[in-house]
């Protein structure tokens, strides 16, 4: 089994095992324009690392996705762009334990960046304000 396949299988099993562990995200904690603008690229990377640590240790935050959808309906302020494969077993929002609107995720088979994907990444950084790719 390849290293990628091993990682994907382990991630899927871990995700299935992760349940609400009392680690609940407080209401109103979605990324706002003010929070995004105050965040440095280093802070954005650290937030992703911290989220991945929570995910891999089975301590993912419990999120009220309906409330997050309501709170982000008027705008999204992503902290990062993650170019992702279309593989449904590896959603970056879960692997980095982030909420709705926190990560801008262009997806394509093979994780390569043709012109349309590059345009999406440019949009996410220049227009939407994402701090890191």
């Amino acid at each position: 089994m390849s290293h990628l396949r091993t990682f994907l299988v382990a991630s899927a099993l871990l995700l299935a095992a992760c349940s609400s562990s009392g680690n609940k995200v407080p209401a109103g904690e979605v990324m706002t324009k003010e929070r995004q603008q105050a965040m440095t690229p280093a802070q954005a990377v650290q937030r992703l690392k911290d989220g991945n640590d929570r995910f891999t240790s089975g301590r993912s935050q419990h999120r009220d996705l309906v409330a997050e959808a309501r709170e982000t309906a008027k705008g999204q302020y992503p902290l990062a762009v993650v170019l992702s494969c279309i593989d449904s077993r590896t959603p970056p929002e879960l692997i980095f334990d982030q909420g709705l609107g926190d990560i801008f995720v262009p997806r394509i088979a093979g994780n390569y960046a043709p012109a349309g994907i590059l345009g999406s990444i440019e949009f996410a950084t220049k227009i939407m304000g994402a701090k890191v790719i």
Side-chain angles (χ1 to χ4, degrees), residues 62-111:
H62 174 70
R63 297 178 179 279
D64 182 344
L65 297 178
V66 173
E68 285 186 17
R70 279 190 214 112
E71 290 181 48
T72 60
K74 293 183 181 175
Q76 60 177 320
Y77 304 98
L79 62 105
V81 179
V82 176
L83 175 60
S84 180
C85 182
I86 60 172
D87 190 327
S88 63
R89 300 167 295 174
T90 60
E93 298 86 348
L94 296 178
I95 291 172
F96 292 111
D97 194 25
Q98 299 300 308
L100 296 181
D102 290 345
I103 303 176
F104 194 93
V105 185
R107 290 176 167 236
I108 189 164
N111 288 352

Side-chain angles (χ1 to χ4, degrees), residues 17-39:
C18 290
S19 62
S20 173
S21 61
N23 194 10
K24 186 173 172 86
V25 176
E29 288 296 320
V30 299
M31 184 62 68
T32 64
K33 184 175 184 177
E34 296 75 25
R35 285 185 186 135
Q36 181 204 51
Q37 288 178 343
M39 183 176 285

